[in-house]
Amino acid sequence: MYVILVYDIGEERVGKMLKLCRRYLNWIQNSVFEGEISEVKLKELQFLAKSIMVLSYDSIVIFKSRNEKWLQKEIIGKEKNELDIFL
């Protein structure tokens, strides 16, 4: 599946969450990640994220799609992290 993950987390935990999300998804810009991920890997990411979070304060929003082709992405301004993949 294709996901977009956005988090809003306390400043003292941002570094840990950034490192965790980068292990599973592509960093797009501050607190925003996207990419293909299996259901199992997504559950693993969610489990590990909950161990970093203060659930009464922090939040994660995950948008899911079966495939990236069903999403239209428009970038206005400079793209923070281009996802060019060279084979």
Side-chain angles (χ1 to χ4, degrees), residues 35-51:
E36 289 286 337
I37 190 169
S38 70
E39 189 71 40
V40 172
K41 288 293 185 184
L42 181 58
K43 295 282 186 202
E44 184 178 295
L45 170 58
Q46 291 172 319
F47 176 79
L48 294 171
K50 286 179 185 176
S51 70

Side-chain angles (χ1 to χ4, degrees), residues 7 14-25 33 44-52 60:
Y7 64 76
V14 168
K16 287 181 180 179
M17 188 63 73
L18 173 67
K19 287 178 186 176
L20 173 64
C21 291
R22 280 187 165 176
R23 287 181 13 211
Y24 293 88
L25 299 167
F33 296 81
E44 184 178 295
L45 170 58
Q46 291 172 319
F47 176 79
L48 294 171
K50 286 179 185 176
S51 70
I52 295 170
I60 292 177

Side-chain angles (χ1 to χ4, degrees), residues 28-75:
I28 300 303
Q29 65 180 43
N30 299 344
S31 304
V32 181
F33 296 81
E34 70 177 355
E36 289 286 337
I37 190 169
S38 70
E39 189 71 40
V40 172
K41 288 293 185 184
L42 181 58
K43 295 282 186 202
E44 184 178 295
L45 170 58
Q46 291 172 319
F47 176 79
L48 294 171
K50 286 179 185 176
S51 70
I52 295 170
M53 298 170 66
V54 174
L55 295 176
S56 61
Y57 181 79
D58 302 326
S59 66
I60 292 177
V61 178
I62 301 171
F63 300 92
K64 300 178 185 179
S65 176
R66 284 186 233 156
N67 194 307
E68 181 182 5
K69 72 179 181 179
W70 299 109
L71 292 174
Q72 181 178 354
K73 181 166 94 173
E74 180 178 350
I75 299 168

